[in-house]
């Protein structure tokens, strides 16, 4: 038996290949950029009206609210959606037959989705600042931007777990549509968790963006009441839950890739 | 570079079964149970093209997917290049090529070349060799001129060629081709078969499924016939011809025969089988015989009173054998 010690694939290279594929597919129809730019504009305008006059930091609240709303979908579901597309195109089978674990492909798409999600955040920022006529009073703009990106990354970690669900079953999209709004509210992305009924808290606490977003609110809104114990515990909570999600994603993907070979539903769409 | 595997058969399948439990609907589930493979045993030697022939629903795709690590068998063992397809996927996948073919399975909005680049990366084709290899396989399948067009503009035949190009890009030791000419117009199908023949080089093993007997006859020195999840025959083309007890076929046509006439033909010396079937407005009897020296005359005299009777003989084709075997299984 001529066992080989050479691994046939490179995970990093496959991730870059998936990122490149996302870019090429986007460039094939760049006009899709327009609808995905309209949503952040609308969210920004609505959010501005909602928070107008709510204290000194209403602009920050407006930007965070609308920013999360517009980035949420892309980052959280974008990778899963792409997997669903793999089912529709019939490319899921050849992709899984390749030596590279599918997780690396998903990671490439996550990078793409985080990048395009951030574009939505930028649009929201420009719209809100545009209608307000002045930038928000943010004590530390650098921390604000870094934490914003951090929120996106924690969101993306959850997106990876979601993507596994799309490999698992072709009904993932259907289930996601039902659960989406409840999930969005329940996790404290729309309103701060402190405003939500107590029973939703466990969901929120096992959701990394809750922590990251709370940290972001602490850092950018002086006097923010928060739901936890301060800025650094929030960061720790975000890092911890994100790590848990990434570990979960690794385990879930291995299982799911095995499960679909057992069931034989890779060609379903 | 991957090490090549040692000698020994390319494929060894022992008592492989596969059951599909399918459910329709999401909330209100209706369960159906299909036994797609009912205990398949098969050994395929290295090199050349092995054909798996069978009608629709026989289980060809199911077996192909099991061998190419896309599906687990419900029970039984399958070794490819001496390695277990259920456990040694990391070893096997880089050494296998799979062409499921069809309209789907490609990224339609991007070019053929970009499709190949993506899969070259996933298959770990050395980066320094990637572009050269892509040029080489595009040339080989005849898509050089169309390489930079979006695949959604490709014809069915061109897509099939791109599927094959993807299958050979990483220079697999074994290539699985599932019904490679299905849905192609006759010209593309002929080109595709020519391409497949040209792939038999450097000891690559090709495992090809088809439901066209003439395709198996043309491409596959050795083949097995799969019917309703079972291998019903396994031989060379010539071996299969003798399997039905004769390599000549006599056809007798008239506007109808009595049952007694059909029975009497069965008792003629050298006749191993008689099948009666409607044939347009008339009826046709097909006889499998060992030799036609006396048989034509005897058939004529056994069927008196049919002025319109036409009798002719021909060499038994693989298609005849195939239909015999598949029909026997169906009965
Ligand atoms: N994923 C699946 N779920 C349920 N039944 C399936 C599935 N795949 C194949 N089958 C059933 O298994 C049998 C064999 O199918 P298949 O292997 O596709 O045959 P072939 O390729 O020879 O046409 C058919 O009855 C088919 O309906
Ligand atoms: Mg098939």
């Amino acid at each position: 038996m001529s066992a080989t010690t050479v691994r046939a694939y490179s995970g990093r290279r496959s991730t870059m290949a998936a990122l490149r594929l996302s870019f090429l597919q986007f460039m094939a129809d760049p006009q899709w950029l327009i609808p995905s730019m309209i949503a952040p504009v609308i969210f920004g305008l609505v959010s501005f009206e909602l928070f107008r006059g709510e204290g000194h930091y209403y602009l920050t609240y407006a930007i965070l609210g609308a920013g999360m709303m517009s980035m949420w979908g892309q980052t959280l579901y974008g990778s899963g959606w792409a997997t669903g597309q793999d089912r529709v195109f019939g490319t899921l089978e050849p992709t899984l037959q390749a030596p590279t674990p599918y997780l690396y492909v998903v990671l490439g798409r996550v990078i793409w989705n985080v990048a395009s999600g951030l574009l939505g955040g930028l649009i929201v920022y420009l719209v809100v600042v545009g209608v307000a006529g002045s930038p928000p009073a943010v004590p530390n703009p650098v921390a604000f931007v870094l934490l914003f990106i951090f929120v996106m990354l924690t969101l993306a970690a959850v997106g990876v777990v979601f993507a596994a669900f799309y490999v698992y079953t072709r009904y993932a999209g259907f289930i996601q549509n039902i659960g989406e709004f409840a999930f969005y509210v329940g996790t404290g992305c729309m309103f701060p968790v402190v405003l939500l009924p107590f029973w939703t808290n466990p969901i929120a606490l096992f959701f990394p963006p809750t922590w990251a977003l709370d940290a972001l609110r602490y850092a950018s809104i002086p006097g923010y009441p928060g739901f936890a114990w301060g800025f650094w515990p929030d960061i720790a909570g975000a890092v911890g839950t994100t790590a848990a999600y990434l570990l979960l994603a690794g385990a879930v993907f291995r299982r799911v890739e095995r499960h679909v070979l057992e069931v034989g539903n890779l060609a379903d769409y | 570079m991957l090490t090549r595997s040692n000698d020994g058969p390319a494929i060894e399948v022992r008592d492989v079964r596969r059951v599909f439990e399918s459910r329709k609907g999401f909330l209100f589930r209706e369960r159906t149970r299909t036994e797609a493979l009912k205990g398949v045993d098969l050994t395929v030697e290295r090199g050349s093209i092995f054909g798996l022939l069978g009608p629709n629903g026989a289980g060809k795709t199911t077996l192909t997917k099991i061998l190419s690590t896309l599906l687990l068998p419900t029970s039984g063992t399958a070794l490819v290049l001496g390695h277990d397809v259920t456990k040694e996927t990391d070893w096997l996948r880089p050494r296998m090529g799979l062409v499921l073919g069809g309209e789907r399975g490609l990224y339609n909005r991007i070019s053929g070349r970009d499709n190949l680049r993506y899969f070259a990366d996933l298959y770990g084709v050395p980066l320094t060799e990637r572009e050269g290899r892509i040029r080489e396989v595009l040339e080989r399948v005849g898509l050089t001129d169309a390489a930079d067009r979006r695949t959604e503009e490709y014809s069915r035949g061109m897509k099939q060629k791109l599927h094959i190009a993807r299958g050979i890009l990483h220079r697999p030791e074994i290539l699985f081709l599932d019904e490679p000419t299905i849905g192609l117009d006759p010209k593309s199908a002929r080109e595709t078969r020519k391409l497949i023949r040209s792939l038999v080089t450097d000891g690559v093993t090709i495992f090809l499924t088809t439901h066209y007997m003439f395709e198996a006859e043309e491409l596959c020195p050795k083949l097995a016939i799969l019917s309703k999840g079972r291998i019903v025959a396994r031989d060379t083309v010539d071996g299969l011809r003798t399997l039905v007890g004769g390599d000549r076929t006599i056809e007798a046509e008239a506007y109808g025969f009595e049952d007694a006439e059909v029975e009497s033909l069965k008792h003629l010396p050298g006749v191993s089988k008689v099948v009666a079937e409607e044939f347009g407005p008339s009826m046709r009897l097909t006889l499998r015989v060992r030799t036609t020296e006396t048989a034509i005359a005897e058939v004529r005299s056994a069927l008196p009173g049919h002025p319109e009777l036409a009798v002719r003989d021909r060499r038994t084709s693989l298609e005849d054998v195939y239909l015999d075997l598949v029909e026997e299984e169906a009965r």
Side-chain angles (χ1 to χ4, degrees), chain A residues 15 45 83 103 111 121 155 185 211:
Chain A
T15 295
L45 293 175
T83 301
L103 182 56
I111 296 173
L155 202 53
V185 174
W211 298 85

Side-chain angles (χ1 to χ4, degrees), chain A residues 13 29 86 89 97 100 262, chain B residues 18 105 107 121-123 125:
Chain A
R13 188 172 158 205
D29 290 293
D86 265 340
F89 296 155
Q97 207 273 333
T100 308
E262 259 164 41
Chain B
R18 172 71 214 200
Y107 293 99
D121 289 340
L122 296 194
Y123 274 94
V125 172

Side-chain angles (χ1 to χ4, degrees), chain A residues 111-186:
Chain A
I111 296 173
W112 172 259
N113 288 321
V114 167
S116 36
L118 283 171
L119 179 69
L122 184 66
I123 294 170
V124 164
Y125 181 86
L126 295 176
V127 166
V128 173
V129 169
V131 290
S134 66
V138 175
N140 187 345
V142 175
F144 183 80
V145 170
L146 288 181
L147 283 166
F148 213 101
I149 295 172
F150 181 62
V151 172
M152 295 293 291
L153 292 177
T154 61
L155 202 53
V158 182
V160 176
V161 179
F162 277 34
F165 196 40
Y166 281 78
V167 179
Y168 185 81
T169 171
R170 66 185 159 125
Y171 295 113
F174 174 67
I175 295 164
Q176 177 229 296
N177 282 337
I178 294 175
E180 176 163 26
F181 188 70
F183 194 60
Y184 185 64
V185 174

Side-chain angles (χ1 to χ4, degrees), chain B residues 76-77 83 135 137 157 163 165 210 232 250 305:
Chain B
T77 56
H83 292 254
R135 267 196 304 278
V137 294
H163 279 295
T210 179
V232 294
I250 292 176

